[in-house]
């Protein structure tokens, strides 16, 4: 995949502020990936494309969801959840990306899901902690991200769920399942590290 083509095509889909966000997500994701010893290429491709459809009209996003193999229940939840899944379809059909891990990282970058891969976690978190973000509780998530990806993601998902509840908005079930799954993952990790210690 020619990165220059991807970069140019993505830049044309969005205002400059969103393009700059995209570049910050890429840099943040690459920093996390470097620390974790991951292959930087899939991280780069998923970061560039994650918000490809962020500024597409809602009617177009809904139409693409109806006409593709994406889950139709998305249409019953917040419109904010639509741009990632549709971007994954564009990545596959327009840019010929076949790596399922890259496609999943794009698809689930807003909702998260149970059983997220390391790449999915890195893209989700980079999107949340990139340097220009300002959410309440973000400092804690940024600190956790330096040492433990799962704990950082758990905290970030909890913040997002709380934010949605405060605003009387629905929570898409995969977000809740992701949070429950990470709660178990983190608890299991803590039990294992205690067993190693004794
Ligand atoms: O596209 P970005 O602004 O970079 O970030 P994003 O793709 O994470 O989407 C932003 C918003 O989507 C986020 O502020 C919360 C909102 N949202 C609405 N419903 C849900 C949701 N986020 C999750 N995780 N789950 C939901 O059900
Ligand atoms: Fe997004
Ligand atoms: Fe984003």
């Amino acid at each position: 995949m020619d990165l220059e083509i991807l970069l140019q095509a993505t830049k044309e889909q969005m205002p400059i502020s969103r393009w700059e966000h995209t570049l910050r997500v890429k840099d943040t994701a690459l920093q996390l990936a470097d620390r974790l010893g991951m292959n930087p290429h899939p991280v780069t491709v998923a970061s560039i494309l994650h918000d490809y459809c962020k500024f597409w009209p809602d009617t177009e996003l809904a139409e693409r969801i109806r006409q593709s193999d994406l889950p139709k229940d998305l249409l019953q939840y917040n419109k904010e959840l639509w741009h990632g899944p549709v971007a994954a379809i564009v990545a596959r059909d327009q840019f010929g990306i076949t790596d399922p891990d890259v496609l999943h990282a794009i698809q689930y970058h807003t909702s998260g899901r149970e059983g997220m891969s390391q790449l999915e976690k890195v893209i989700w978190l980079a999107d949340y902690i990139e340097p220009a973000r300002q959410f309440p509780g973000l400092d804690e998530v940024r600190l956790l991200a330096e040492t433990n990806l799962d704990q950082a993601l758990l905290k970030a998902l909890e913040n997002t769920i709380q934010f949605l509840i405060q605003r009387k908005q629905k929570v898409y079930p995969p977000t809740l399942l992701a949070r429950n799954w990470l709660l178990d993952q983190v608890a299991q990790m803590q039990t294992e590290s205690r067993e190693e210690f004794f």
Side-chain angles (χ1 to χ4, degrees), residues 33 38-47 49-50 84 88 91-92 97-109 113-124:
M38 294 164 67
N39 177 358
H41 188 71
V43 177
T44 305
V45 174
S47 300
L49 291 176
H50 85 281
R92 187 190 66 188
I97 290 163
T98 53
D99 181 345
D101 203 18
V102 171
L103 297 175
H104 291 152
I106 298 168
Q107 177 168 358
Y108 300 109
H109 87 263
R113 64 164 176 164
E114 186 173 0
M116 291 165 80
S117 70
Q118 197 173 44
L119 179 63
E120 290 173 56
K121 291 176 189 173
V122 161
I123 300 298
W124 202 102

Side-chain angles (χ1 to χ4, degrees), residues 54-143:
K54 182 83 179 177
F55 283 84
W56 287 20
D58 293 342
T59 49
E60 173 73 19
L61 294 174
E63 194 52 29
R64 297 273 184 137
I65 291 168
R66 277 194 288 270
Q67 286 177 358
S68 64
D69 46 6
L70 291 172
K72 305 296 171 268
D73 66 347
L74 280 165
L75 298 167
Q76 313 303 319
Y77 290 89
N78 202 308
K79 294 178 171 64
E80 284 291 326
L81 291 156
W82 298 354
H83 68 282
V86 175
I89 296 290
V90 172
R92 187 190 66 188
D93 296 351
Q94 187 178 325
F95 295 108
I97 290 163
T98 53
D99 181 345
D101 203 18
V102 171
L103 297 175
H104 291 152
I106 298 168
Q107 177 168 358
Y108 300 109
H109 87 263
T110 307
S111 64
R113 64 164 176 164
E114 186 173 0
M116 291 165 80
S117 70
Q118 197 173 44
L119 179 63
E120 290 173 56
K121 291 176 189 173
V122 161
I123 300 298
W124 202 102
L125 255 189
D127 194 21
Y128 192 84
I129 66 173
E130 62 93 341
R133 291 289 206 198
Q134 293 175 334
F135 300 130
L138 194 50
D139 287 346
E140 188 186 349
V141 178
R142 286 197 175 113
L143 207 60

Side-chain angles (χ1 to χ4, degrees), residues 13 15 18 21 23 32 37 64 86 92 121 124-127 129 142 145 151-155 175-176 191 193:
Q13 302 296 314
R18 179 59 41 171
H21 159 77
L23 295 178
L32 291 170
R64 297 273 184 137
V86 175
R92 187 190 66 188
K121 291 176 189 173
W124 202 102
L125 255 189
D127 194 21
I129 66 173
R142 286 197 175 113
Q151 281 183 355
L153 189 54
L154 174 61
K155 187 72 201 160
T175 302
L176 295 169
T191 311
S193 68

Side-chain angles (χ1 to χ4, degrees), residues 142-195:
R142 286 197 175 113
L143 207 60
L144 287 169
E146 286 175 23
T147 53
N148 190 311
L149 211 60
D150 284 351
Q151 281 183 355
L153 189 54
L154 174 61
K155 187 72 201 160
L157 282 163
E158 290 182 344
N159 289 348
T160 303
I161 292 166
Q162 273 165 350
F163 167 87
L164 292 167
I165 291 173
Q166 272 165 14
R167 277 162 206 258
K168 304 264 180 249
Q169 291 184 12
K170 285 198 261 190
V171 182
Y172 188 47
T175 302
L176 295 169
L177 293 174
R179 184 264 176 177
N180 291 346
W181 172 69
L182 280 162
L183 201 60
D184 284 346
Q185 294 288 113
V186 167
Q188 200 181 330
M189 206 165 49
Q190 283 166 347
T191 311
E192 281 166 9
S193 68
R194 260 198 303 279
E195 279 166 0

Side-chain angles (χ1 to χ4, degrees), residues 1-46:
M1 176 45 62
D2 185 340
L3 288 181
E4 273 314 311
I5 292 176
L6 276 194
L7 287 162
Q8 196 51 43
T10 305
K11 192 177 177 184
E12 286 168 9
Q13 302 296 314
M14 53 189 65
I16 190 74
S17 58
R18 179 59 41 171
W19 171 243
E20 287 168 356
H21 159 77
T22 299
L23 295 178
R24 287 190 300 269
V25 170
K26 177 169 74 63
D27 290 347
T28 306
L30 284 171
Q31 280 168 25
L32 291 170
D34 182 53
R35 213 192 59 228
L36 296 161
M38 294 164 67
N39 177 358
H41 188 71
V43 177
T44 305
V45 174

